[in-house]
Structures are given as structure tokens and as C-alpha cells.
């Protein structure tokens, strides 16, 4: 018959009740009639139900030249049990309750640990649970409900308000807001329109939309996140080498200490054989290799799982450990510190007219700055007008006729025929001094206004950099841009050092330079910065929100948000500190527990009976696992 | 007299424990059985992994079956850290773990508390 730890525990506990009654009765000098016989029967049953599996496992391990926690439990219980049998036959006092309670408490520890272990691995189950089962897919002109597994790339899928997007894709019709918090950790819903990416498992807001599936099955973002979290949770942290070394010799060493304890008490100190035996059994039972073994994996499991919920994917225990030694954090500029998209920051002159002329001319242009102008115009609700005689003048700008009047948008090379007021000239040089790209807007021989365009820092970049500096990190920005632009951005967000005019292939080289002064983290996007990300001790890859570059960084941020860097560092530190705390307690526990059990402090009146030693042992692993679970409650900005 | 006897036995026991657990005891690796549709190796889980090293051939779809015969919590999970596998062995008698065999290499596995170790070698 196969029983679970839980069933074994309850059965053993019920069987141990008479022994418990006697222990209480003892305080009132009451003896249960025929106690030895009752104890013999119940303890034998407890041994069969509860202790036998440990004996079997320990024996099998022994044959492999292995010893583990089961060995200790088995040695402790067999000695107490078989000595009591011998004592009963020869008319000496029996210690059945020691054997019985060691078993009960060890089973209690096993049961609780198993439950908490399940709890710790919950994050993954929750992620997997986000997946929907079926999708409303357009087949033969009609939307029909089909199982998720049958969805193909290119399928049109309808999603009603409040439902989840089944897979990743692109909105084909309709507008809506989407709650992406389960993937990115960002609680504010995101507006989506035709052409925008959506991620499977996120929740549709008010609008009904149809979208085209672009990624299914293993390729979806959720599937990739799950895969990554799985690997992270089972990964090893370098600090574990210590426990690996200890665990190999721990149990045999404890057995040797136990025998030494017996010899010292019995032979050298003249204690009775039984007393010496009880000390030895206590030593065997209190030693807890489990707490040591559980210290790291459980904390890793909880820490990486919690981080994933915040949109921070920590790839493995090694990355998590290295974060603690980071001295410098280097950022790529474009797309990391800044939006990566130029935006119109200042408009000089009559706002609506300037924008209207600029937008009308730029509508047909493919220049990167043109999109910034068009974006601003549409934000202001300005419609571009039709133009004639459109001319794109390479490197200078565009010229055309707007409602019969000549007009231009571009640099001052185009403005030679136009009149520029001295006030505008002043504003122009002032804006240029701020490292902004300035374009002039001309209409009918007159420059009517200016548009300043800049790749602006992300809204929360300043806050994030301040937080990182508060953690004692040196912040550096690398960019291919010129010194002036780079300096102005750095000043805006508060970055310490700037290295400008860096060619893309030189980034890794600069990372190496900084590594001479200590460990370096590099933050960049996963695509262009791959070499720098791999060179750095910790590579933090920023996702675009719909795609994650799994391979390039040791930490991947689902969201393109610098606050994620702060969270990643903080969560890594908290987890690693927890691992250290766990290991410390597990070690101290054994270092203090074993001498007490061996009777070193008898003169102080500190004696541990084998039962109490077993209880203490059971709670040591439980306390380590609970300490790891507390990571779920740790405060993160 | 009894005490001298106990002392001698104790010292002998300590020596035996040291020799048995710390001495070198090599274990043979076991190769997987190759069948037409793949290869399979079985690891018996009972107070450890036997064999603790299994060898798979490169290029043939491979799996390792864990045959659970241990009833204690210690060995209840098997963890392949590099594969992201963490399986509960107590739910069914035999638990199968698929091993990628496209490249030669080693995959270490351990119990949930990292006390028992084994490895799968692909070559």
C-alpha cells in the first residue's frame, strides 16, 4: 500500500496518542497500566507505517556509498526502537516514545515542507494558468470557437470585451484598451488600435476587436516567459557550490560525531550506556542537511517567480548572484534612456499654422524627422493639406506649393530666399544649444516658425536613474550621437558619465574598460546591443513590450521601461540576501544544535531529548522554506 | 573492560564509515537501449539514483525513465537545472524526462534538495 507523507503522518500521530497521554501522566506520577506493552504495539506500528520507508531508502543509499537525511532518521529510530526491544526483554526502562516521536516529527517536517514547496513553485502554475483554452477564429467567413491548439499563424481571431487574447498578434480591426499587467507588471491599461501588437493572455478592455495571429504555441511571449522562468527556477547559484561540498560529507560526518559523542560520554565521562546512547541519538536526529539543501533552491524559486510577475525575467541564479557585486551600470542611449523616436519638443511661431504647413509638406516625406512632425500634428488634430510641386531636396528638406504659395520645411540652407526675423534667429541658436534638431518652416518668402525635434528621455528615466544612484551605482551612458546631444540627455536624466561618438561595434569594448573597475551591468535593447550585453557581467535586455530577446541578456525586461532595471536589481538583491540568510541559519542551526544535542552544555542544564531534537530538525527545514516564501511579501518599489 | 570494548568498537565503526562513504567507489555508467524510434534509459530511484550516470547516443531521440521506488520526501523531485525540468516523481510510478540529443554534452540532475546527483551524458 502506498501512503503519502501526509497519510503516514496522521496515522503515526494517532498511534502515538497513548504515548503522549503517558508523557502527560508522568507529570502527575501516573503510570498507564501495561504501558510497556501498549508502547511496544503502537511504536511497532509507527515504525512499520512511518519509519520503514526511511530505513529502506537509507539502506539503498548506503549500498551506493551514499548517506542522506534518511540515513540519520533511520539510524536514530532503529537505535531507539531496537534498544527498547532489548530493554523490554531484559527488564530495563524502555524508550519507545523516542523512536515514535522522532518518526512523527520527521513526517510532520516532510509533510509541511512538501506543501510549502508546492506553494513556492506556484508562480509557474499561475503563469501557465493564464493561457486560454479556445479561440473565436474566422473559418469559412464565420467566427467559430476552436481549441487553442488548432489556431494557426495568420488566423483572424475575434476577442470580446473582458476576454483574453488567446495568442500573440496584430490588431486587424477595432480599437480597445488592454490590461497587460499579467505580462508586464504595468497596471495601467494600454490603448490599442489597428496595427498594434497584442500579447496572448492579456485581457481585452471595452472594445471588441479582431486580430491576426502572428505567434502561436511555443513562440508566444507567454510560452517563452514560462520556459524562461522554469529554467531560472531550477538553475543553480554559484553560492550552492558551498552546500554541494558540505552535503557530500555532512551525514557521514554527523554519524562519526554521534559515535564520538557516545564514546566520550560512556568511556571518558563515565555516563551510563543508556544516557550516552540518548546523546548520540539526539545528535543524529537534530542534524539537518535538508535545511542547507533547501536554502538556495526555494529562495530562487520564489524570487524568480515573483520577479516574473513584475515583468522582470531573471535567467538564472548566477545572474542573480552577480547583481550584488555590480559597481557600474551602463546604458545605451537610443531606445533605452530615450524613447528612441524623435519628438517635436518646441514650436516657435503661430503654432497651428506652423504645424499645418510643416505637416502638409512632410506628409509625403520619408525622413525620420517627418514622422515626428506628423505625430505632433495628429496629436493636435491638424489635417495636412494637399500640396503641389513637391520636391525633396537631399540633406536640406522639402519644398512645395501650398494653396498656390511657395513653402518649405528644412534647414537654413533652404531659407536663403526667405526672410528670417532676428527674434527667430535668436530662438534658433538657443534651441540648437540645447542639442535639439531645429527645422524652419517657411511660407511665402517668410520663415513663419521653428520646430525643435529631439529624441526625448523616457518619462520615468529620471526617477529610475535617481533610484539606481541611490543604490550606490555609477551610471554611464554610451551613444553614437555627438557629445552635445549626449550631454544634454544625460543632464536631463542625471546620468554621471557620458561617452559619445561610440560606434556600434565599440560598445562591448567600453564595457570591458569599465569592468576593470568592478562588475558592470549593461542595459540595452536585445537586438543591437547583443555583444555588449554578453560582455557585461549582467546584461539587461529591454523588451519592446511584444517581443523578448531571450538569448541576449541574463536579465530580460518584458517592458521597455527603466523602472524595470531598478526592480530587477532590487529583486535580485533581495533574493540573494535571502539565500545568504537561509544558508546562515541552516549552518548556525547545525553548528549550535549538534553540540547541544551532544550534551556539551549539560552543565548549563541544556539537554535535548531525541524527541525534541527531531522536532527541532523538522522545523529547521520548514523555517527555511517559510523564509523563502516571505520573499513574496518583500517590499519592492 | 566493557568500556575498552566499546571504545574499540566505536573507533572501528568510525573508520568503517569513513572508508565506506569517503573512499573512492566508482560506479559504472549505463548506456541507453536504442530502439527503432528512439532510445531509453531507466534510472531506479531508491536511496539514490542507480545507475547515477546514463549515456545516450547523439542524434537519436532520447528519454530517461525514472522508476520511483523510494517513499520518502528526500527524492520526491528530480531537477535538471539546465533543462528547466523539475518533476514530481511521486505522482506516478515511472516519470519520463525527454533529453535533447542534438548536441553532445552532459545534463546533470539532482533531487529537489540537491543532495543526490546524477548525470545524463550524450555522446
Amino acid at each position: 500500500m502506498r501512503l503519502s507523507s501526509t497519510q503516514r503522518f496522521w496515522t503515526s500521530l494517532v498511534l502515538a496518542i497513548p504515548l503522549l497521554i503517558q508523557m502527560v501522566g508522568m507529570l502527575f506520577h501516573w503510570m498507564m497500566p501495561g504501558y510497556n506493552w501498549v508502547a511496544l504495539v503502537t511504536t511497532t506500528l509507527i515504525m512499520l507505517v512511518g519509519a520503514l520507508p526511511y530505513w529502506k531508502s537509507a539502506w539503498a543509499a548506503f549500498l551506493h556509498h551514499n548517506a542522506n537525511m534518511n540515513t540519520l532518521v533511520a539510524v536514530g529510530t532503529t537505535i531507539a526502537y531496537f534498544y527498547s526491544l532489548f530493554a523490554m526483554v531484559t527488564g530495563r526502562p524502555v524508550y519507545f516514545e523516542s523512536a515514535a516521536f522522532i518518526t512523527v516529527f520527521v513526517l510532520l517536517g516532510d509533510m509541511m515542507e512538501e506543501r510549502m514547496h508546492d506553494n513556492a513553485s506556484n508562480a509557474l502554475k499561475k503563469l501557465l494558468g493564464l493561457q486560454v483554452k479556445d479561440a473565436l477564429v474566422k473559418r469559412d467567413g464565420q467566427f467559430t470557437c476552436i481549441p487553442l491548439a488548432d489556431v494557426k499563424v495568420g488566423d483572424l481571431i475575434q476577442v470580446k470585451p473582458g476576454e483574453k487574447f488567446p495568442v500573440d498578434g496584430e490588431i486587424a480591426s477595432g480599437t480597445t484598451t488592454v490590461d497587460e499587467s499579467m505580462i508586464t507588471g504595468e497596471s495601467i491599461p494600454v490603448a490599442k488600435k489597428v496595427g498594434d501588437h497584442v500579447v496572448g493572455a492579456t485581457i481585452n478592455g471595452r472594445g471588441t476587436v479582431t486580430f491576426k495571429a502572428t505567434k502561436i504555441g511555443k513562440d508566444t511571449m507567454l510560452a517563452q516567459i514560462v520556459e524562461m522562468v522554469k529554467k531560472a527556477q531550477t538553475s543553480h547559484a554559484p553560492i550552492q557550490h558551498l552546500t554541494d561540498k558540505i552535503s557530500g560529507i555532512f551525514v557521514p560526518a554527523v554519524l562519526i560525531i554521534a559515535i564520538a559523542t557516545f564514546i566520550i560520554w560512556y568511556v571518558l565521562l563515565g555516563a551510563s550506556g543508556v544516557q550516552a546512547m540518548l546523546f548520540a541519538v539526539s545528535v543524529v536526529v537534530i542534524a539537518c542537511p535538508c535545511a542547507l539543501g533547501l536554502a538556495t533552491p526555494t529562495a530562487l524559486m520564489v524570487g524568480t517567480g515573483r520577479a516574473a510577475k513584475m515583468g522582470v525575467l531573471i535567467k538564472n541564479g548566477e545572474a542573480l548572484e552577480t547583481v550584488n557585486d555590480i559597481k557600474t551600470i551602463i546604458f545605451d542611449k537610443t531606445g533605452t534612456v530615450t524613447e528612441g523616436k524623435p519628438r517635436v519638443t518646441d514650436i516657435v511661431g503661430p503654432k497651428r499654422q506652423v504645424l499645418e504647413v510643416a505637416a502638409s509638406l512632410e506628409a509625403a516625406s520619408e525622413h525620420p524627422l517627418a514622422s515626428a512632425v506628423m505625430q505632433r500634428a495628429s496629436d493636435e488634430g491638424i489635417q495636412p493639406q494637399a500640396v503641389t510641386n513637391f520636391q525633396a531636396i537631399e540633406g536640406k528638406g522639402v519644398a512645395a506649393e501650398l494653396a498656390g504659395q511657395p513653402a518649405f520645411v528644412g534647414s537654413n540652407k533652404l531659407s536663403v530666399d526667405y526672410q528670417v526675423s532676428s527674434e527667430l534667429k535668436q530662438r534658433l541658436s538657443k534651441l540648437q544649444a540645447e542639442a535639439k534638431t531645429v527645422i524652419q518652416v517657411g511660407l511665402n518668402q517668410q520663415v513663419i516658425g521653428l520646430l525643435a525635434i529631439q529624441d526625448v528621455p523616457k518619462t520615468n528615466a529620471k526617477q529610475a536613474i535617481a533610484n539606481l544612484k541611490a543604490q550606490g551605482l555609477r551610471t554611464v551612458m554610451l551613444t553614437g550621437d555627438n557629445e552635445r546631444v549626449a550631454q544634454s540627455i544625460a543632464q536631463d536624466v542625471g546620468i554621471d558619465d557620458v561617452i559619445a561618438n561610440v560606434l556600434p561595434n565599440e560598445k562591448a569594448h567600453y564595457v570591458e574598460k569599465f569592468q576593470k573597475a568592478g562588475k558592470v551591468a549593461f542595459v540595452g535593447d536585445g537586438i543591437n546591443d547583443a555583444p555588449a550585453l554578453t560582455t557585461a557581467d549582467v546584461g539587461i535586455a529591454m523588451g519592446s513590450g511584444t517581443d523578448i530577446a531571450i538569448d541576449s541578456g541574463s536579465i530580460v525586461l518584458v517592458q521597455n521601461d527603466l523602472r524595470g532595471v531598478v526592480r530587477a536589481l532590487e529583486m535580485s538583491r533581495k533574493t540573494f540576501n535571502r539565500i545568504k540568510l537561509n544558508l546562515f541559519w541552516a549552518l548556525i542551526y547545525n553548528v549550535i544544535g549538534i553540540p547541544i544535542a551532544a550534551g556539551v552544555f549539560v552543565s548549563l542544564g541544556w539537554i535535548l531529548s531525541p524527541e525534541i531534537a527531531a522536532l527541532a530538525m523538522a522545523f529547521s527545514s520548514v523555517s527555511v522554506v517559510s523564509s523563502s516564501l516571505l520573499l513574496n511579501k518583500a517590499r519592492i518599489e | 573492560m566493557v568500556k575498552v570494548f566499546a571504545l574499540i568498537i566505536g573507533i572501528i565503526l568510525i573508520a568503517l564509515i569513513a572508508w565506506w562513504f569517503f573512499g573512492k567507489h566508482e560506479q559504472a555508467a549505463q548506456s541507453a537501449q536504442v530502439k527503432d524510434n528512439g532510445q531509453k534509459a531507466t534510472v531506479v530511484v531508491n536511496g539514490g539514483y542507480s545507475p547515477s550516470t546514463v549515456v545516450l547516443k547523439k542524434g537519436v531521440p532520447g528519454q530517461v525513465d525514472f522508476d520511483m521506488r523510494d517513499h520518502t520526501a528526500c527524492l520526491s523531485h528530480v531537477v535538471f537545472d539546465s533543462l528547466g525540468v523539475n518533476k514530481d516523481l511521486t505522482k506516478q510510478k515511472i516519470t519520463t524526462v525527454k533529453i535533447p540529443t542534438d548536441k553532445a554534452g552532459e545534463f546533470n540532475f539532482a533531487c529537489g534538495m540537491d543532495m543526490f546527483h546524477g548525470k545524463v551524458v550524450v555522446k
Side-chain angles (χ1 to χ4, degrees), chain A residues 261-410:
Chain A
T261 303
F262 180 85
I263 293 175
I264 290 170
W265 276 109
Y266 182 59
V267 179
L268 301 181
L269 300 177
S272 72
V274 174
Q275 193 54 49
M277 181 194 77
L278 289 180
F279 280 128
V281 169
S282 291
V283 168
V284 167
V285 171
I286 203 167
C288 186
C290 292
L292 275 177
L294 288 169
T296 318
T298 52
L300 265 184
M301 204 177 266
V302 176
T304 52
R306 165 108 191 260
K309 271 194 225 153
M310 301 189 296
V312 174
L313 307 176
I314 301 166
K315 220 182 235 174
N316 53 40
E318 207 177 330
L320 197 139
E321 193 171 331
T322 319
V323 164
N324 286 274
D325 303 325
I326 293 291
K327 296 275 177 284
T328 312
I329 182 156
I330 305 178
F331 295 90
D332 174 44
K333 188 196 97 172
T334 311
T336 302
V337 178
T338 65
E339 298 279 359
K341 277 183 263 171
R343 273 206 296 175
V344 175
T345 55
D346 307 77
I347 302 170
V348 182
K351 190 170 160 188
R352 290 193 71 86
Q353 196 195 5
V354 170
L355 264 178
E356 193 181 77
V357 173
S360 304
L361 268 72
E362 296 278 26
S365 166
E366 279 162 6
H367 196 273
L369 295 181
S371 61
V373 174
M374 297 312 294
Q375 182 63 47
R376 182 60 184 261
S378 95
D379 287 351
E380 304 273 347
I382 292 166
Q383 291 293 325
Q385 308 295 316
V387 294
T388 49
N389 281 338
F390 178 82
Q391 253 184 302
I393 302 151
E394 187 65 44
K396 290 178 184 169
V398 292
E401 272 176 28
L402 181 67
Q405 292 179 315
F408 89 95
V409 180

Side-chain angles (χ1 to χ4, degrees), chain A residues 603-614:
Chain A
S603 56
L604 301 176
W606 294 3
I607 300 177
L608 279 181
S609 67
E611 302 92 286
I612 302 299

Side-chain angles (χ1 to χ4, degrees), chain A residues 439-455:
Chain A
I439 54 176
Q440 304 178 27
V441 180
L443 183 69
N444 208 8
Q445 318 303 325
Q446 187 96 32
V447 173
I448 57 166
L450 307 171
L451 291 172
I453 294 174
Q454 197 182 27
D455 185 9

Side-chain angles (χ1 to χ4, degrees), chain A residues 177-224:
Chain A
T177 53
V178 180
D179 175 4
E180 295 186 332
S181 59
M182 60 294 298
I183 300 287
T184 61
E186 176 60 64
S187 51
I188 302 161
V190 187
K192 300 274 179 182
K193 56 181 191 306
V194 173
D196 283 349
H197 284 284
V198 286
V199 177
T202 58
I203 301 171
N204 186 17
R206 297 255 175 91
T208 298
V209 289
T210 37
F211 77 104
K212 200 171 90 182
T214 54
K215 281 177 182 166
I216 56 162
K218 268 201 256 174
D219 300 327
T220 62
M221 181 125 116
L222 180 68
Q224 293 195 46

